[in-house]
Amino acid sequence: MEDTTWEQKFTALTHILTNPTTNPSLHSQYFIANQIPCYLNWDFPPLLCPKYQNNPTFNLKWSFSLFLKRLRAPPISWRSKCPYSQPPPLILGKGVEEAKWDDESKRLYFRKRLFRKKLVSEVNPLIPILVPNVLLVWVLFWGPIPLDDP
């Protein structure tokens, strides 16, 4: 995005906001490809990018990066850890049980969430205060900077 002007970014954003669709037309794809640069981490092929039309190695790099992306496990978002969200997440996070919608299981899930261990540090609160102060006093008494220059 470094080699695009603010006007190009603004027109591309305006086009995306005024034409919301999951299946953009070829004209729309070509317009966006001319407005903003293409990168390797995009999901659609860089065939319409004018910058890379004469560079066949870029298409090979893009296809290889897409292949590597498909080999990895899909990323887990915060929604994957919320089994009771609507619509339910496609992939549940590790350690999260599938949502059970009967009343008793919802009550048990709520109790388990209510009485779980809090996210609190187990460190004594004096340690973060004492350790830096003791180090500071030690450095002051050690005297790394000589006061008397002969």
Side-chain angles (χ1 to χ4, degrees), residues 15-16 19 21 24-34 48:
H15 178 75
I16 291 170
N19 301 319
T21 179
S25 64
L26 185 61
H27 173 267
S28 177
Q29 291 179 23
Y30 187 70
F31 176 75
I32 295 295
N34 280 331
L48 300 174

Side-chain angles (χ1 to χ4, degrees), residues 6 14 32 50 81 86 89-90 94 100 124 140:
W6 280 105
T14 305
I32 295 295
K81 298 174 183 162
Q86 285 295 328
L90 295 175
K94 188 181 285 188
K100 297 180 183 104
N124 189 336
L140 289 176

Side-chain angles (χ1 to χ4, degrees), residues 59-78:
N59 290 332
L60 288 173
K61 287 179 190 175
W62 175 82
S63 58
F64 186 67
S65 69
L66 186 69
F67 173 72
L68 290 178
K69 239 192 290 187
R70 299 282 166 91
L71 284 179
R72 286 185 292 151
I76 294 177
S77 69
W78 63 269

Side-chain angles (χ1 to χ4, degrees), residues 1 32-33 36-46 49 62 65-66 69:
M1 293 298 249
I32 295 295
I36 56 179
C38 301
Y39 294 105
L40 276 176
N41 59 355
W42 283 3
D43 288 334
F44 60 88
C49 298
W62 175 82
S65 69
L66 186 69
K69 239 192 290 187

